[in-house]
Amino acid sequence: MIITVASGKGGTGKTMVATNLALSIEGAQYIDCDVEEPNGNLFLHAEIETRREAGVPMPVIDEERCTLCGDCAEACEFNALAVSKERVLLFSDLCHGCGVCSYVCPEPDVITERSRRLGEIEMGRAQTTKGGANGSEIAYTGAHLDVGALLVTPLIKEVKRTADPERTVILDAPPGTSCPVVETLRGSDYCLLVTEPTPFGLNDLQLAVAVVRELEIRFGVILNQSDSGDDQVSAHCRQEGIPVLLEIPFSRELAVAYSKGVAIAAQDASYRERFQRLFQAIQAEAGE
Amino acid sequence: MKEIVIISGKGGTGKTTLCAAFASLARDAVIADCDVDAADLHLLLAPRVLQEADFVGGRTPVIDSELCSECGDCQAWCRFDAIELDLDAGYIIDPFACEHCALCAYVCPEEAISMRSAVNGRWFISETAQGKLVHARLAPDEDNSGKLVTLVRREARRLAEETGAKWILNDGPPGVGCPVTAAITGVDLALIVTEPTLSGIHDMQRVEALCRHFQVPTLVCINKYDINPQNTRTIKDYCLDNQVPIIGEIPFSPAVRQALVARKSPVDFDCGAVTGIVERMWLEIEGTDRP
């Protein structure tokens, strides 16, 4: 089963929920899909076993043989190519690696491809701490987008390929509602939307719900800092028939643990039980 | 005219709340919500929409099933696994996987695939009590958010020139990818709002590196600084080492959330010490405009 933890609004507690859930159940795999700002391993402390580069193909143009016909630049939907008097210029940050330019080039083998680095993927294992879910092991994958690189979705696709079908896979999504979130959500069995009881939390929850519904993925809500704002989110969920699977009241202890990179379920059995119950509720909701 | 962008790397550190406060304090600024993915600034500024338009970000392929011979070339060539064979409908495009590159339209021997302009969202110019607001809504699951950010900023600049506004205040998106880059390139000043958590520090360092990469002058403010004094120290050390001035340290206060629930910024609602600190931060930012 693949569970995505998403939110619309940033900073509502996605990573807190995803890491604590991974630590509370048996045989989980945690995959950090927030490749722009990956934070999961600040809480899991996985020992990294492998690291590799990830990239996308990018055209290489043989300047000697290029006739400067301009077909490639005209065909590129991303405006990544421009023809000057002497050569074809490539704006590599705009290139999606789609292969249109090499397809339309009338000269054989003038456009070839090489890989352009976007970032790094790391894999490893974390132990649930003493008293955790039977001390079982968590598989971890994360990725770091290089600072200055723009293409996020190919890196998310790459990290998702490491998903182990034998495990309960927990995907920690980036914030927002656009393509990186959709790329994370595709193929998920269930989605947890983490929000907070403020006008921002409600607005962004509604945006996220629209995306999850369009993808036809079952979902439920987690209300974080549930006692701190107003009751608009709860009222909205009741009205829409959206299940609220967990409410986490504000706790200074939880905030301080988070600030130090401590997943609260690793040290507090009562939180661990709550996340175990959350998992049971997800299984029931997802029909498994 | 000076353009300032508020960013954070990590989401939820207080970008929008601060932006709304600065909008109140600046009085005649043009305000631009560059978080087009999950725009929230309008919730605090109560805009009255003056004009709005569709955002056409790119083109999208459409398969004409009458012309399609089901040869499967499009599916074989697509690098994004965006074309599927449906038993009833024939070859169809998965809109969630499609990158809109048009390769399928080129390879189709029947010319059954055409590229059509696609509406990816909507953008607005509104009147608020704090000044003109340019904001937008990206359609769910759309890409091209960087392009929409660029459009919002262009309109904000045009308005600022027209009205002679002294400031453009951009509420930026989280992350360090395409929309953030679109939001920070060429601005006069970036303010990073961070918090003393390991995530906040990690993300602040990445977005600060991005600002350096684009040579954008940068300031930092630490929100909820008293949650973890040791981490606050780490942020200060990092800023000192990298010569990034810290212009404010805001204590944790439940009143800020009460202000948001009342749909007010912390300078329009009694947030105790926070109100004064935010006011002083704005004075400091205004000071950067003086010789």
Side-chain angles (χ1 to χ4, degrees), chain A residues 52-105:
Chain A
R52 64 184 162 86
E53 272 188 21
V56 282
M58 157 178 101
V60 179
I61 297 162
D62 182 343
E63 287 185 12
E64 305 270 297
R65 290 166 53 233
C66 172
T67 64
L68 301 176
C69 72
D71 285 2
C72 56
E74 197 177 320
C76 178
E77 288 282 320
F78 310 107
N79 300 315
L81 293 164
V83 185
S84 75
K85 274 183 187 146
E86 292 100 36
R87 63 174 73 89
V88 175
L89 303 168
L90 169 68
F91 303 100
S92 59
D93 280 339
L94 301 177
C95 175
H96 285 223
C98 68
V100 160
C101 51
S102 53
Y103 183 83
V104 300
C105 178

Side-chain angles (χ1 to χ4, degrees), chain A residues 16-37:
Chain A
M16 187 272 286
V17 168
T19 52
N20 279 298
L21 184 59
L23 282 163
S24 300
I25 63 175
E26 259 183 82
Q29 180 181 23
Y30 170 93
I31 302 181
D32 199 339
C33 293
D34 189 0
V35 302
E36 290 181 55
E37 298 291 17

Side-chain angles (χ1 to χ4, degrees), chain A:
Chain A
M1 169 145 99
I2 302 176
I3 303 165
T4 294
V5 184
S7 73
K9 175 165 161 48
T12 56
K14 284 180 297 300
T15 300
M16 187 272 286
V17 168
T19 52
N20 279 298
L21 184 59
L23 282 163
S24 300
I25 63 175
E26 259 183 82
Q29 180 181 23
Y30 170 93
I31 302 181
D32 199 339
C33 293
D34 189 0
V35 302
E36 290 181 55
E37 298 291 17
N39 291 328
N41 208 29
L42 295 174
F43 301 91
L44 293 177
H45 312 288
E47 209 165 299
I48 303 305
E49 292 161 354
T50 57
R51 274 200 177 85
R52 64 184 162 86
E53 272 188 21
V56 282
M58 157 178 101
V60 179
I61 297 162
D62 182 343
E63 287 185 12
E64 305 270 297
R65 290 166 53 233
C66 172
T67 64
L68 301 176
C69 72
D71 285 2
C72 56
E74 197 177 320
C76 178
E77 288 282 320
F78 310 107
N79 300 315
L81 293 164
V83 185
S84 75
K85 274 183 187 146
E86 292 100 36
R87 63 174 73 89
V88 175
L89 303 168
L90 169 68
F91 303 100
S92 59
D93 280 339
L94 301 177
C95 175
H96 285 223
C98 68
V100 160
C101 51
S102 53
Y103 183 83
V104 300
C105 178
E107 305 296 322
D109 299 325
V110 163
I111 302 185
T112 51
E113 290 183 332
R114 68 180 172 83
S115 178
R116 172 169 63 97
R117 186 187 146 108
L118 290 179
E120 205 171 63
I121 292 180
E122 57 183 30
M123 292 180 74
R125 265 157 224 291
Q127 300 294 328
T128 56
T129 47
K130 245 181 232 168
N134 305 327
S136 72
E137 206 180 50
I138 298 170
Y140 162 81
T141 309
H144 299 254
L145 183 76
D146 287 345
V147 168
L150 300 178
L151 272 190
V152 173
T153 49
L155 203 51
I156 295 175
K157 269 186 199 171
E158 263 318 291
V159 282
K160 281 180 70 183
R161 282 202 188 102
T162 67
D164 178 352
E166 303 289 310
R167 288 176 180 265
T168 300
V169 179
I170 297 166
L171 303 179
D172 193 354
T177 55
S178 65
C179 43
V181 180
V182 172
E183 191 56 52
T184 305
L185 276 165
R186 286 175 64 216
S188 291
D189 300 298
Y190 197 79
C191 175
L192 287 174
L193 294 173
V194 187
T195 192
E196 59 182 32
T198 63
F200 294 176
L202 176 60
N203 182 65
D204 297 353
L205 173 68
Q206 289 169 315
L207 296 172
V209 164
V211 173
V212 183
R213 282 199 174 135
E214 211 165 319
L215 286 161
E216 298 177 0
I217 295 170
R218 291 188 191 199
F219 66 97
V221 162
I222 294 183
L223 197 54
N224 195 12
Q225 304 192 11
S226 54
D227 52 350
S228 67
D230 57 14
D231 58 2
Q232 296 298 305
V233 171
S234 304
H236 177 76
C237 289
R238 264 199 309 278
Q239 212 172 0
E240 291 275 310
I242 299 169
V244 178
L245 302 184
L246 180 65
E247 295 192 16
I248 306 170
F250 175 78
S251 135
R252 203 166 173 107
E253 183 202 2
L254 180 59
V256 170
Y258 177 88
S259 76
K260 291 188 205 156
V262 172
I264 193 104
Q267 40 169 241
D268 185 330
S270 72
Y271 275 98
R272 205 151 54 236
E273 277 158 27
R274 287 158 90 176
F275 281 99
Q276 283 160 354
R277 279 202 299 278
L278 169 68
F279 183 57
Q280 287 158 5
I282 294 168
Q283 285 174 311
E285 286 285 330
E288 291 205 2

Side-chain angles (χ1 to χ4, degrees), chain B residues 245-267:
Chain B
I246 295 177
I247 61 150
E249 292 175 49
I250 305 171
F252 172 76
S253 159
V256 175
R257 183 150 287 192
Q258 292 315 313
L260 297 185
V261 167
R263 303 194 175 221
K264 287 191 173 356
S265 88
V267 297

